[in-house]
PDB file of all heavy atoms in Angstrom:
ATOM      1  N   GLY A 175     -57.870   0.777  -2.448  1.00  0.00           N
ATOM      2  CA  GLY A 175     -56.446   0.561  -2.271  1.00  0.00           C
ATOM      3  C   GLY A 175     -56.060  -0.851  -1.905  1.00  0.00           C
ATOM      4  O   GLY A 175     -54.917  -1.112  -1.550  1.00  0.00           O
ATOM      5  N   TRP A 176     -57.004  -1.790  -1.974  1.00  0.00           N
ATOM      6  CA  TRP A 176     -56.714  -3.150  -1.519  1.00  0.00           C
ATOM      7  C   TRP A 176     -57.600  -4.116  -2.285  1.00  0.00           C
ATOM      8  O   TRP A 176     -58.722  -3.799  -2.635  1.00  0.00           O
ATOM      9  CB  TRP A 176     -57.019  -3.238  -0.041  1.00  0.00           C
ATOM     10  CG  TRP A 176     -56.574  -4.525   0.612  1.00  0.00           C
ATOM     11  CD1 TRP A 176     -55.327  -4.877   0.931  1.00  0.00           C
ATOM     12  CD2 TRP A 176     -57.425  -5.602   1.023  1.00  0.00           C
ATOM     13  NE1 TRP A 176     -55.306  -6.111   1.522  1.00  0.00           N
ATOM     14  CE2 TRP A 176     -56.595  -6.581   1.589  1.00  0.00           C
ATOM     15  CE3 TRP A 176     -58.805  -5.840   0.955  1.00  0.00           C
ATOM     16  CZ2 TRP A 176     -57.090  -7.774   2.094  1.00  0.00           C
ATOM     17  CZ3 TRP A 176     -59.290  -7.022   1.467  1.00  0.00           C
ATOM     18  CH2 TRP A 176     -58.434  -7.998   2.032  1.00  0.00           C
ATOM     19  N   SER A 177     -57.095  -5.299  -2.565  1.00  0.00           N
ATOM     20  CA  SER A 177     -57.880  -6.244  -3.321  1.00  0.00           C
ATOM     21  C   SER A 177     -57.470  -7.661  -2.957  1.00  0.00           C
ATOM     22  O   SER A 177     -56.279  -7.934  -2.839  1.00  0.00           O
ATOM     23  CB  SER A 177     -57.644  -5.973  -4.821  1.00  0.00           C
ATOM     24  OG  SER A 177     -58.579  -6.665  -5.570  1.00  0.00           O
ATOM     25  N   ALA A 178     -58.451  -8.551  -2.747  1.00  0.00           N
ATOM     26  CA  ALA A 178     -58.121  -9.933  -2.415  1.00  0.00           C
ATOM     27  C   ALA A 178     -58.763 -10.860  -3.444  1.00  0.00           C
ATOM     28  O   ALA A 178     -59.937 -10.695  -3.803  1.00  0.00           O
ATOM     29  CB  ALA A 178     -58.619 -10.294  -1.018  1.00  0.00           C
ATOM     30  N   SER A 179     -58.009 -11.821  -3.924  1.00  0.00           N
ATOM     31  CA  SER A 179     -58.584 -12.782  -4.864  1.00  0.00           C
ATOM     32  C   SER A 179     -59.423 -13.805  -4.130  1.00  0.00           C
ATOM     33  O   SER A 179     -59.096 -14.213  -3.015  1.00  0.00           O
ATOM     34  CB  SER A 179     -57.452 -13.490  -5.618  1.00  0.00           C
ATOM     35  OG  SER A 179     -58.001 -14.545  -6.388  1.00  0.00           O
ATOM     36  N   ALA A 180     -60.516 -14.226  -4.767  1.00  0.00           N
ATOM     37  CA  ALA A 180     -61.305 -15.330  -4.216  1.00  0.00           C
ATOM     38  C   ALA A 180     -61.098 -16.589  -5.049  1.00  0.00           C
ATOM     39  O   ALA A 180     -61.754 -17.597  -4.844  1.00  0.00           O
ATOM     40  CB  ALA A 180     -62.792 -14.966  -4.163  1.00  0.00           C
ATOM     41  N   GLY A 181     -60.194 -16.531  -6.033  1.00  0.00           N
ATOM     42  CA  GLY A 181     -59.919 -17.731  -6.816  1.00  0.00           C
ATOM     43  C   GLY A 181     -60.312 -17.597  -8.267  1.00  0.00           C
ATOM     44  O   GLY A 181     -60.863 -16.575  -8.690  1.00  0.00           O
ATOM     45  N   THR A 182     -59.963 -18.602  -9.029  1.00  0.00           N
ATOM     46  CA  THR A 182     -60.216 -18.575 -10.456  1.00  0.00           C
ATOM     47  C   THR A 182     -61.141 -19.718 -10.875  1.00  0.00           C
ATOM     48  O   THR A 182     -61.313 -20.688 -10.139  1.00  0.00           O
ATOM     49  CB  THR A 182     -58.894 -18.724 -11.244  1.00  0.00           C
ATOM     50  OG1 THR A 182     -58.232 -19.896 -10.785  1.00  0.00           O
ATOM     51  CG2 THR A 182     -57.987 -17.524 -11.040  1.00  0.00           C
ATOM     52  N   PHE A 183     -61.757 -19.587 -12.014  1.00  0.00           N
ATOM     53  CA  PHE A 183     -62.622 -20.665 -12.532  1.00  0.00           C
ATOM     54  C   PHE A 183     -62.712 -20.546 -14.049  1.00  0.00           C
ATOM     55  O   PHE A 183     -62.263 -19.559 -14.641  1.00  0.00           O
ATOM     56  CB  PHE A 183     -64.020 -20.579 -11.906  1.00  0.00           C
ATOM     57  CG  PHE A 183     -64.806 -19.335 -12.271  1.00  0.00           C
ATOM     58  CD1 PHE A 183     -65.651 -19.329 -13.373  1.00  0.00           C
ATOM     59  CD2 PHE A 183     -64.677 -18.155 -11.516  1.00  0.00           C
ATOM     60  CE1 PHE A 183     -66.365 -18.200 -13.714  1.00  0.00           C
ATOM     61  CE2 PHE A 183     -65.382 -17.035 -11.851  1.00  0.00           C
ATOM     62  CZ  PHE A 183     -66.220 -17.042 -12.955  1.00  0.00           C
ATOM     63  N   ARG A 184     -63.232 -21.590 -14.659  1.00  0.00           N
ATOM     64  CA  ARG A 184     -63.515 -21.566 -16.092  1.00  0.00           C
ATOM     65  C   ARG A 184     -65.009 -21.747 -16.305  1.00  0.00           C
ATOM     66  O   ARG A 184     -65.702 -22.234 -15.406  1.00  0.00           O
ATOM     67  CB  ARG A 184     -62.798 -22.728 -16.805  1.00  0.00           C
ATOM     68  CG  ARG A 184     -61.297 -22.568 -16.828  1.00  0.00           C
ATOM     69  CD  ARG A 184     -60.666 -23.821 -17.411  1.00  0.00           C
ATOM     70  NE  ARG A 184     -59.239 -23.878 -17.125  1.00  0.00           N
ATOM     71  CZ  ARG A 184     -58.297 -23.306 -17.880  1.00  0.00           C
ATOM     72  NH1 ARG A 184     -58.632 -22.668 -18.965  1.00  0.00           N
ATOM     73  NH2 ARG A 184     -57.042 -23.398 -17.512  1.00  0.00           N
TER      74      ARG A 184
END
Side-chain angles (χ1 to χ4, degrees):
Chain A
W176 188 76
S177 192
S179 172
T182 54
F183 65 92
R184 292 174 196 273

